[in-house]
Amino acid sequence: MSYPTFFNPEESYSRSEIEALQLDRLQATVKHCMHSPFYRERFRQAGLTPADIRTLDDLRKIPFTTKQDLRDTYPFGIASVPLDKCVRLHSSSGTTGNPTVILHSQKDLDEWANAVARCLWMVGCRPEDVFQNTSGYGMFTGGLGFQYGAEKVGMLTVPAAAGNTLRQLKFFTDFGTTVVHAIPSYAARLYEVMCEKGIDPRRDTRLRTLVIGAEPHSEDTRKRIEEMLGVKAYNSFGMSEMCGPGVAFECPEQNGMHIWEDYYIVEIVNPDTLEPVPDGEVGELVLTTLKREAMPLLRYRTRDLTRILPGECPCGRHHIRLDRMKGRSDDMIILKGVNIFPIQIETILMQFQELASDYLITLETVDGNDAMTVDVEMKDLSLDDYGKLQSLTREITRQLRDEILITPKVRLVPKNSLPKSEGKAVRVVDTRKKY
Ligand code: ADP
Ligand code: ZN
């Protein structure tokens, strides 16, 4: 059967078409936001009215919206429609204070499903595919977000939900799953259990495509997962404040994630000065929603650090590409005054073929000083091979020191000895005394 290349016409818009659409939608969004008590007050304080937004550059006159604003207005204070227009809410875990609530109208849910479907279609998902979703359902948007998107593509969709790995594997073989959505740490776990059970993914399953996202991971991690499972793995980026998955997604080129600019205006700013960074430099991603009805967000500071990849993508889409996420500004470890992102450590570790995929960074206070230990699981090295272990530990330590400029204590630990989580992997434990 022959299918169109693009899921929506907007997907193949030229730059000038994208920008014209963005201006229309920005003006409409700003007007609509005046139904929100929060934005009405923000605009009043800034001495702004919707009529002041005449060009896309005028966006910069609008104050930023932060996660703190969502908390301060918990639960419904930012909404731009009355509650009876809303049909769903999602909420973050709220481990650090009030949780945040995101409201959706029926129209928002339809658009969200469309955006996710567009992503899946882009990497070759078609109605003949069987899509298995290993995300938690419920408040975590990776569950329902992919469910509706995959159904919109027309795939047979298996809402397997998180955990119960043996059941996941049974579904793969019984239902002929071809596409899986999993967080990267869980994709590696699926493979480990396949090995334990003597399942060869290439021989015993029809797996072809993997969608991996929700947590930072390195290019080497992707390559490993692709090799293990015999699939192509595509990076998927989203967050609940922007609906969830479907914000940015890799195309078949696997070189950066196209962010759908008919839905979002992208800015990259210096997180300290809040000024735009020069083209192509890393900074904080700031997003303005362009088609949200229940709860549009203007200039939302995501705290995610990334950059815009320069140049055109050979796939023919003109929506800009975001580089792999470096992490969130609040994931940054400050150790002995040095700024370190966990992904820098992962990038080094995953280059060692002897190491498995799981690692844990522990930060402690030892004799009044900051110290870092990196525990990393080995693939199949025996603990008896002392000489080999020592030289490997030394080499890993040396490469980590070159990358992060401090010397961590590296411990090679047996496979499956580090704690596993059902949701996003916990990579950093900080037990340092806070003064
Ligand atoms: P929570 O805030 O509770 O983690 P979300 O599901 O909204 O819940 O998480 C969104 C965040 O997850 C993003 O802001 C980003 O930090 C991270 N994230 C999502 N997708 C990716 C990805 N592909 N690569 C790196 N980080 C990602
Ligand atoms: Zn592309």
Side-chain angles (χ1 to χ4, degrees), residues 174-221:
D174 292 359
F175 304 150
T177 302
T178 53
V179 186
V180 178
H181 170 240
I183 53 178
S185 45
Y186 192 60
R189 176 81 193 133
L190 283 168
Y191 178 68
E192 276 170 17
V193 180
M194 281 186 186
C195 292
E196 283 164 22
K197 298 289 160 196
I199 299 172
D200 174 349
R202 289 179 174 78
R203 186 193 61 206
D204 304 323
T205 77
R206 293 177 61 217
L207 296 183
R208 179 172 63 75
T209 302
L210 186 75
V211 174
I212 45 171
E215 59 187 16
H217 55 286
S218 65
E219 184 60 32
D220 284 295
T221 299

Side-chain angles (χ1 to χ4, degrees), residues 251 253 258 313 315 317 321:
C251 68
E253 301 291 326
H258 288 285
C313 184
C315 78
R317 289 173 187 83
R321 287 168 301 161

Side-chain angles (χ1 to χ4, degrees), residues 168-364:
Q168 303 278 2
L169 301 187
K170 182 168 166 53
F171 288 173
F172 287 171
T173 46
D174 292 359
F175 304 150
T177 302
T178 53
V179 186
V180 178
H181 170 240
I183 53 178
S185 45
Y186 192 60
R189 176 81 193 133
L190 283 168
Y191 178 68
E192 276 170 17
V193 180
M194 281 186 186
C195 292
E196 283 164 22
K197 298 289 160 196
I199 299 172
D200 174 349
R202 289 179 174 78
R203 186 193 61 206
D204 304 323
T205 77
R206 293 177 61 217
L207 296 183
R208 179 172 63 75
T209 302
L210 186 75
V211 174
I212 45 171
E215 59 187 16
H217 55 286
S218 65
E219 184 60 32
D220 284 295
T221 299
R222 180 243 293 278
K223 289 207 182 101
R224 273 177 173 229
I225 292 174
E226 289 190 322
E227 258 165 48
M228 290 192 253
L229 293 173
V231 295
K232 281 255 173 232
Y234 298 96
N235 193 359
S236 153
F237 171 79
M239 79 192 68
S240 39
E241 297 93 316
M242 298 293 132
C243 287
V247 177
F249 211 87
E250 274 179 339
C251 68
E253 301 291 326
Q254 292 182 305
N255 180 19
M257 299 177 283
H258 288 285
I259 179 158
W260 302 123
E261 292 181 89
D262 51 330
Y263 284 126
Y264 304 100
I265 295 181
V266 179
E267 297 171 84
I268 308 278
V269 303
N270 177 316
D272 299 320
T273 64
L274 300 180
E275 289 300 317
V277 300
D279 278 355
E281 279 188 20
V282 172
E284 178 176 345
L285 176 67
V286 172
L287 295 176
T288 297
T289 65
L290 290 177
K291 243 192 148 185
R292 284 271 283 289
E293 185 176 44
M295 207 172 132
L297 294 174
L298 303 176
R299 305 193 81 201
Y300 183 69
R301 290 187 59 187
T302 67
R303 302 193 288 188
D304 286 312
L305 300 171
T306 183
R307 68 189 187 106
I308 293 175
L309 289 182
E312 288 276 322
C313 184
C315 78
R317 289 173 187 83
H318 303 286
H319 297 255
I320 54 175
R321 287 168 301 161
L322 298 181
D323 200 357
R324 212 168 257 296
M325 297 290 142
K326 221 178 140 189
R328 286 193 204 186
S329 46
D330 35 2
D331 287 339
M332 191 171 77
I333 299 169
I334 305 181
L335 196 85
K336 297 182 177 169
V338 180
N339 299 347
I340 302 162
F341 284 95
I343 199 74
Q344 291 175 276
I345 294 176
E346 176 176 315
T347 301
I348 300 288
L349 296 178
M350 291 308 120
Q351 282 161 17
F352 288 87
Q353 285 313 312
E354 298 89 341
L355 301 180
S357 305
D358 273 325
Y359 64 94
L360 182 68
I361 302 164
T362 307
L363 310 173
E364 298 163 294

Side-chain angles (χ1 to χ4, degrees), residues 35-38 76-83 86 103 293-296:
H35 295 112
S36 150
F38 169 82
F76 305 137
I78 293 193
S80 292
V81 297
L83 266 193
C86 301
L103 291 164
E293 185 176 44
M295 207 172 132

Side-chain angles (χ1 to χ4, degrees), residues 156-168:
L156 174 61
T157 306
V158 185
N164 203 338
T165 306
L166 288 179
R167 194 178 64 152
Q168 303 278 2

